[in-house]
Amino acid sequence: MDARADRRLDLIVFGATSFVGQILCRRLVERHGTDGDLRWAIAGRDPAKLDRVAADTGADVERIVADAADRPALAALAGATRVVASTVGPYALYGSDLVAAVAEAGTDYCDLTGEPQWMRRMIDAHADTAAASGARIVHACGFDSVPSDLGVWFLQQRARERFDAPCEHVSMRVASMRGGASGGTIASMTNLMEEAAGDPDLRRMLADPYALAPVDLRSGPRQRDVNRPTRDQASGQWVAPFVMAAVNTRVVHRSHALLGRPWGPGFTYDEAMLMGTGPLGAAKAGGLSAGMAAGVGLVALGPTRRALSRWVLPKPGQGPSPEAQRKGSFDLRFFGTTADGRTLRTRVTGDRDPGYSGTARMLAEAAVGLVQLDPAEVGGGFWTPATAFGDRLVERLEAHAGIRFDVLN
Ligand SMILES: NC(=O)c1ccc[n+]([C@@H]2O[C@H](COP(=O)([O-])OP(=O)(O)OC[C@H]3O[C@@H](n4cnc5c(N)ncnc54)[C@H](OP(=O)(O)O)[C@@H]3O)[C@@H](O)[C@H]2O)c1
């Protein structure tokens, strides 16, 4: 018996006023309407802003007012619904009380965090409560880390079918990615740098590939992070570091641990960006790596970070234009190798900008997927996209989100 069956609502979008929250609202209106089978509501701290979002996006559904620091309001919100999807970030600043509330209330939850330090804090603080209450909590349901996590999941299913064995080594390579960044994403990244600057323990945790695994599985074989221009064995091209690898790889290793390490004790996973072959590929890989290092250096230093935030970078609430979102896309290649050297290549592509339209669609499908997810199949706890949903989310994304999963050879 589902303890949440008698909840008034199926889904609350907390942070409906955010840049990505508004895209999510439009998407839910397109897919589910406002008075159909999905009983949903929008929530945020400012009632006038919620009214504007309802008018602008067509999400003329119930409005719930709650501040991210108002615990009684969050408890009431969590008790009113089966699922909360939150876009209130940076999550490390504004997300913790809500996770405590849903874990306590047995309410399912998904979000867009790409902040490993915060996921780790939430797992350590609330995993037992969620397991006891039945709350299924799924972080990282956006571009970080759905395509990586489900991409590895998809490749491993195909490897089992073809080879009757998993791939022991998987490398994800970004072949192309077109899209912009929003103020919310920039704020999350700068907050992470600020936290890490003054905290050596946190820096150590961020360097640990197994940081998000359950406590007894926080070790394993050495992992290779691509953090400089490298001539890549998997693809035969030059590669450069991928900015989201530090989140995605940790989520993939959590999935592996939660599944009982079916891809073998020697499983390795890394991510990087394809830059092409020959001297031009080498030059591009060098240029991108240097540019990233310079960008990280500027953001890591307090004064330049503050100046960039004030004058250059998008502010919270701002992000790429609707046209830029429509023109965006992504193409991720997965190179798998079994323990005895057989290879498999797969691809995950999306027809919208990864960070916003694409991400909003991923979160919409995860949220509605949670509404429909049988508690007898997946119980309470902190799951990843692959372990909560697996093939169910692959199918939903292919059917409704313009995302494809293909075998290349
Ligand atoms: N995983 C991914 O690929 C991905 C992609 C995109 C974004 N993200 C993440 O998603 C989050 C949202 O991004 P965004 O660009 O849409 O953010 P944004 O436009 O800056 O919106 C932030 C939201 O948080 C709300 N908020 C802030 N403080 C609050 C409080 N005390 N109480 C209640 N609500 C509060 C804001 O409400 P007001 O409108 O009232 O100010 C707003 O709705 C960020 O953490 C970002 O890093 C992840």
Side-chain angles (χ1 to χ4, degrees):
M1 164 71 189
D2 183 351
R4 312 158 312 154
D6 58 354
R7 300 269 167 103
R8 182 161 58 82
L9 292 161
D10 294 317
L11 171 64
I12 295 176
V13 176
F14 186 53
T17 60
S18 71
F19 185 76
V20 73
Q22 295 184 52
I23 306 172
L24 173 64
C25 287
R26 285 201 171 85
R27 186 64 191 154
L28 288 171
V29 172
E30 274 167 26
R31 287 262 292 124
H32 302 281
T34 53
D35 53 7
D37 287 348
L38 185 75
R39 301 163 305 160
W40 63 290
I42 56 176
R45 59 179 164 177
D46 180 339
K49 235 172 153 180
L50 284 174
D51 285 344
R52 275 203 300 281
V53 167
D56 291 350
T57 64
D60 193 8
V61 291
E62 182 180 338
R63 272 75 118 179
I64 297 172
V65 178
D67 189 280
D70 181 345
R71 288 179 176 214
L74 296 177
L77 181 149
T81 183
R82 295 154 66 105
V83 178
V84 178
S86 174
T87 65
V88 172
Y91 293 88
L93 296 180
Y94 309 124
S96 303
D97 288 342
L98 177 60
V99 173
V102 292
E104 196 66 48
T107 301
D108 296 338
Y109 167 94
C110 53
D111 68 24
L112 295 178
T113 186
E115 297 150 84
Q117 86 287 17
W118 180 70
M119 291 188 240
R120 166 72 173 262
R121 268 181 232 142
M122 295 300 99
I123 291 166
D124 287 352
H126 304 297
D128 291 346
T129 311
S133 72
R136 283 91 54 96
I137 296 177
V138 195
H139 294 307
C141 289
F143 187 61
D144 343 320
S145 301
V146 167
S148 299
D149 198 31
L150 282 186
V152 176
W153 164 270
F154 176 82
L155 177 137
Q156 297 290 15
Q157 308 304 310
R158 304 295 81 78
R160 285 230 172 266
E161 288 163 10
R162 186 179 290 187
F163 307 129
D164 200 22
C167 287
E168 189 174 45
H169 305 292
V170 181
S171 295
M172 187 280 267
R173 300 291 179 250
V174 181
S176 71
M177 199 174 92
R178 292 178 69 189
S182 73
T185 299
I186 302 291
S188 299
M189 289 169 105
T190 51
N191 178 65
L192 173 57
M193 299 237 177
E194 255 166 45
E195 280 193 49
D199 186 344
D201 286 344
L202 173 58
R203 290 201 293 277
R204 256 192 304 280
M205 191 277 272
L206 292 172
D208 175 3
Y210 303 102
L212 296 183
V215 77
D216 49 337
L217 292 170
R218 284 184 187 154
S219 63
R222 216 177 115 83
Q223 300 288 324
R224 187 185 72 122
D225 283 335
V226 178
N227 44 27
R228 61 175 66 85
T230 306
R231 203 202 293 261
D232 181 33
Q233 276 195 341
S235 62
Q237 295 192 27
W238 282 90
V239 295
F242 177 45
V243 68
M244 285 154 183
V247 186
N248 295 335
T249 53
R250 280 50 176 164
V251 172
V252 166
H253 284 298
R254 179 167 177 80
S255 290
H256 191 219
L258 291 176
L259 291 167
R261 296 199 161 162
W263 309 325
F267 174 68
T268 66
Y269 179 66
D270 57 73
E271 298 193 339
M273 299 187 72
L274 292 179
M275 294 284 114
T277 52
L280 187 59
K284 280 195 201 164
L288 187 71
S289 306
M292 266 181 69
V296 168
L298 287 173
V299 176
L301 290 171
T304 43
R305 178 173 61 242
R306 284 188 283 279
L308 284 172
S309 298
R310 177 134 190 228
W311 304 110
V312 181
L313 299 170
K315 310 272 177 300
Q318 298 175 344
S321 68
E323 204 199 340
Q325 292 172 38
R326 264 194 308 279
K327 284 188 175 161
S329 62
F330 62 87
D331 180 343
L332 311 180
R333 307 293 170 97
F334 293 78
F335 299 81
T337 311
T338 61
D340 60 3
R342 289 172 290 175
T343 60
L344 178 63
R345 284 177 55 209
T346 60
R347 178 173 70 183
V348 180
T349 50
D351 67 359
R352 289 283 195 289
D353 82 306
Y356 300 95
S357 294
T359 277
R361 286 166 180 231
M362 293 176 217
L363 185 60
E365 296 310 323
V368 178
L370 271 177
V371 173
Q372 296 170 356
L373 189 61
D374 185 346
E377 280 185 54
V378 178
F382 281 72
W383 299 100
T384 57
T387 54
F389 306 112
D391 289 340
R392 284 174 283 236
L393 189 55
V394 170
E395 282 158 24
R396 295 184 72 91
L397 294 174
E398 290 207 313
H400 306 296
I403 295 175
R404 286 187 53 89
F405 294 76
D406 293 302
V407 175
L408 294 180
N409 69 8

